[in-house]
Amino acid sequence: MPAITLKNVTKSYRSITVLNQLNLEIRENVITGLVGRNGVGKTTLMKMVAGFIKESDGELRVFGERPFNSLKVSANMIFIDDMMGFPDALTLGDLLMECDRFYENWDQDLAMRLLEYFKLPLTLNHRVLSKGKRSTFNAVVGIATRCPLTMFDEPITGMDAGARRDFYRALLKDYLAHPRTILLSSHHMEEMEDLLEDILIIDGKSIAFHGPITELQEKFLSLQAKESVLKSHATRYGVVHRSNAGPMTEWIVDNEHTEAEVDELKQAGIRVSALSASEAYLAMTGQTTGGVDDVYNAMERE
């Protein structure tokens, strides 16, 4: 049974529709990356799954139950974001003790060791931590709870590069030892794509892609050559994105070419290469033309 199921789920705020007619199933015990540009509804989707807000229409199920006001979902879920607040009267050490009392799968030894590694003294209060250190503490809580459904919404906000790398490494190691359903939202897709199994891309209030990350990586090809060469030899399939870098032009196209067609492109002097998952994501959610480059090109023409 899927951990999360959405059937024609819509979320609106008064006259504004944030998410429209979503249909998907998120596999149990899989790390799924949730990505999309700012304002497309990623946080809204995660809060609906967490049961914090109610869907406007459609059917949403988590572990077979509607999450809104569900004690079962609440007891088996944790939602980590940079807005988490804790009582000022409690130190970090006190907070760990309370987590140990509340969460059934809590690993106190792991939490203590991670706080020591990240140099977070147990005697400090959460509110006095820097933004990066608060995010680090929140992330440690998310890992150590080992909830059947663990959701991280932009968990690395404020972390430096080293802390981000260590967080992803710790999350992956603990997931491999204790599998659970993990939803991970981040703008730094290039940093997290190596630990993802599935990817869910939200674009234009709907789902642009949902499936194994390997399928996303194989979805497009990058073609690089002079624009005249591309126009002569590479017009068989849809162009997803165009950009220019000096005398060379890059077209990102649907990867529906046969081996013979790829060989033909190469013989014409076109450089053919695969895309990373983060490059494919940017191509899917960006403009079909050069983006900000076109602004400057238009100014130069004027």
Side-chain angles (χ1 to χ4, degrees):
M1 182 177 69
I4 302 167
T5 303
L6 283 79
K7 295 180 180 179
N8 299 317
V9 170
T10 294
K11 180 60 183 177
S12 300
Y13 295 98
R14 295 184 179 178
S15 61
I16 299 174
T17 299
V18 180
L19 296 168
N20 189 37
Q21 297 287 302
L22 300 190
N23 289 279
L24 67 95
E25 292 183 346
I26 293 179
R27 296 190 291 158
E28 191 173 12
N29 296 335
V30 165
I31 301 180
T32 298
L34 175 58
V35 296
R37 300 298 178 93
N38 287 333
V40 298
K42 301 187 301 298
T43 298
T44 297
L45 174 58
M46 297 180 87
K47 286 185 175 180
M48 283 195 298
V49 171
F52 295 168
I53 59 177
K54 185 165 53 174
E55 65 275 20
S56 302
D57 196 12
E59 182 180 324
L60 171 61
R61 293 289 183 268
V62 178
F63 304 129
E65 291 196 7
R66 188 182 185 193
F68 191 73
N69 286 338
S70 169
L71 292 177
K72 176 182 176 181
V73 173
S74 296
N76 289 279
M77 177 279 304
I78 189 167
F79 178 79
I80 303 293
D81 68 356
D82 62 357
M83 301 300 291
M84 292 182 71
F86 297 96
D88 290 342
L90 300 181
T91 66
L92 300 187
D94 294 333
L95 293 174
L96 296 191
M97 294 298 296
E98 292 303 314
C99 288
D100 190 24
R101 293 172 56 187
F102 186 80
Y103 292 106
E104 181 179 359
N105 299 325
W106 177 262
D107 191 320
Q108 180 76 346
D109 183 56
L110 173 65
M112 297 280 284
R113 288 175 182 270
L114 286 175
L115 288 198
E116 181 180 4
Y117 174 79
F118 286 112
K119 297 181 172 55
L120 286 167
L122 298 177
T123 55
L124 292 182
N125 294 94
H126 189 265
R127 61 179 174 80
V128 305
L129 300 176
S130 67
K131 191 172 186 64
K133 290 295 187 181
R134 284 199 302 271
S135 293
T136 300
F137 177 80
N138 298 347
V140 168
V141 171
I143 293 172
T145 54
R146 291 180 179 153
C147 284
L149 173 58
T150 301
M151 293 187 286
F152 294 95
D153 187 15
E154 299 293 343
I156 60 174
T157 301
M159 292 186 193
D160 58 38
R164 297 199 302 268
R165 182 188 62 245
D166 287 338
F167 161 67
Y168 289 129
R169 181 65 176 164
L171 180 62
L172 179 59
K173 288 181 69 68
D174 207 72
Y175 164 77
L176 292 174
H178 304 274
R180 61 266 206 190
T181 304
I182 296 177
L183 276 181
L184 178 61
S185 169
S186 174
H187 287 98
H188 296 269
M189 184 172 170
E190 72 283 356
E191 294 183 356
M192 69 175 185
E193 63 180 271
D194 288 341
L195 62 88
L196 300 179
E197 295 166 90
D198 285 0
I199 189 81
L200 172 59
I201 300 176
I202 304 293
D203 189 43
K205 304 177 185 179
S206 59
I207 298 169
F209 179 87
H210 180 220
I213 195 167
T214 52
E215 289 186 11
L216 178 62
Q217 292 167 330
E218 297 168 356
K219 191 173 179 63
F220 305 108
L221 285 177
S222 169
L223 308 180
Q224 297 181 30
K226 290 184 178 180
E227 187 171 14
S228 58
V229 175
L230 292 176
K231 287 182 176 179
S232 298
H233 299 277
T235 57
R236 296 180 183 176
Y237 298 104
V239 179
V240 179
H241 182 80
R242 296 178 173 88
S243 61
N244 297 304
M248 302 296 287
T249 295
E250 180 185 36
W251 286 3
I252 295 176
V253 300
D254 293 326
N255 185 12
E256 298 175 357
H257 298 70
T258 65
E259 289 187 16
E261 289 171 339
V262 170
D263 290 338
E264 183 180 329
L265 292 172
K266 291 178 178 178
Q267 290 172 9
I270 298 173
R271 180 183 175 185
V272 182
S273 58
L275 270 65
S276 67
S278 57
E279 290 171 333
Y281 152 67
L282 289 174
M284 289 188 70
T285 59
Q287 300 168 328
T288 57
T289 54
V292 75
D293 292 339
D294 285 350
V295 176
Y296 289 92
N297 293 337
M299 292 175 62
E300 292 173 0
R301 288 194 298 268
E302 294 176 357

